[in-house]
Amino acid sequence: MADVPAWYWQVLGAVGGLGLGLFIGAVNRRKPSDPPSTQVMPRPARPAQPGAAPVAGSGEPRLDATSQRLLERLREANLDLTARLRAATDQHARDLLERSQQQQAEQQRHERQIEELRQTHANELSHLMTDMVEQVDAMQREHVAKLTALQDEIEQLKRISQTIVDPVTMHMGGDMHPAPPPAVPARPRS
C-alpha cells in the first residue's frame, strides 16, 4: 500500500463516484415515482418542450438533448478515467516488476561479490598458512643445525681439554702446579 501513488486513489475515487452516480440515476429511472403525499399540491403540467416527448407507456418525459449529452459525456469521462486507471495500474505493475528485478539483480551481484571475497580470503589464508608453516620448518631446521653444531663444538672442546690435561699431568708427575720461572742472574755494576 505504501508504493501506491496518491493520484491513484484520486482517480479511483472519481471513477467510483461516477459509477455510483450512474447507478443511482439508472435505479431512479427504473423505479416508478412514489405517489405524492396528500399535503403536497401536484405541479401544473409544463408546456411541451421540443425533445421532451413522453415515453410510451411510462408517463415520464424523455430526457432532453442536454441531459443526453451530459450523460454521454459522463460515460465518456468514466471510460476515459477507467482507461487511465488501467494504464496507471499497468504502469505501476511494470514499475514494481522492474524494481523487483533490479533488486534481485543487485542481490545476486552482492552475493557474487561476497563469494569472491570469501574465495580471496580463503586463498590468502591458505597462502599465509603455507608461508608460516614453511618459516616454522625453516626455523626448526636452523635450530636443529645450530644445536648440532653446538653439540659438535662441545664434544670437540671436551676432546681438546682431555688431550691438554693429560700431558700436563704426566710431565709434572701429578703436580698440577707449574714450576717457578728460572732466576735471572744479576749483572755486575760498573
Side-chain angles (χ1 to χ4, degrees):
M1 281 291 188
D3 293 339
V4 177
W7 60 265
Y8 176 82
W9 296 111
Q10 293 172 351
V11 170
L12 188 63
V15 169
L18 285 173
L20 184 62
L22 289 173
F23 175 73
I24 291 173
V27 168
N28 281 340
R29 266 193 263 149
R30 289 184 189 157
K31 207 166 50 163
S33 299
D34 291 335
S37 65
T38 55
Q39 296 177 347
V40 178
M41 298 291 283
R43 287 187 285 167
R46 288 189 278 179
Q49 296 178 357
V55 176
S58 70
E60 292 183 12
R62 214 172 65 192
L63 294 176
D64 60 354
T66 307
S67 297
Q68 281 288 355
R69 277 184 266 139
L70 286 175
L71 186 60
E72 286 298 318
R73 284 185 189 161
L74 280 174
R75 286 181 185 148
E76 288 174 9
N78 188 17
L79 292 174
D80 184 47
L81 286 174
T82 303
R84 286 184 189 177
L85 179 64
R86 283 186 190 138
T89 304
D90 291 345
Q91 181 64 35
H92 180 68
R94 283 192 298 270
D95 290 345
L96 281 177
L97 180 64
E98 184 178 318
R99 262 187 265 149
S100 173
Q101 289 173 345
Q102 286 176 350
Q103 286 175 347
Q104 286 176 351
E106 186 68 24
Q107 184 178 2
Q108 289 174 353
R109 186 183 64 80
H110 182 68
E111 288 173 358
R112 278 195 309 270
Q113 285 178 340
I114 288 176
E115 186 59 33
E116 288 172 1
L117 286 173
R118 208 175 277 148
Q119 287 294 330
T120 303
H121 176 70
N123 291 342
E124 287 178 359
L125 183 63
S126 173
H127 178 70
L128 287 174
M129 291 300 288
T130 303
D131 284 351
M132 186 181 74
V133 167
E134 287 174 0
Q135 287 176 358
V136 168
D137 283 348
M139 286 170 51
Q140 279 183 326
R141 276 181 268 155
E142 198 175 299
H143 178 71
V144 167
K146 285 182 180 178
L147 186 62
T148 305
L150 284 175
Q151 286 176 347
D152 289 345
E153 281 183 36
I154 290 173
E155 288 296 320
Q156 203 174 29
L157 286 174
K158 282 182 182 178
R159 276 186 262 132
I160 290 175
S161 68
Q162 286 176 353
T163 56
I164 291 175
V165 171
D166 289 342
V168 169
T169 309
M170 289 166 57
H171 286 101
M172 297 187 129
D175 189 12
M176 293 296 285
H177 297 293
V184 179
R187 286 176 148 188
R189 290 183 170 209
S190 48

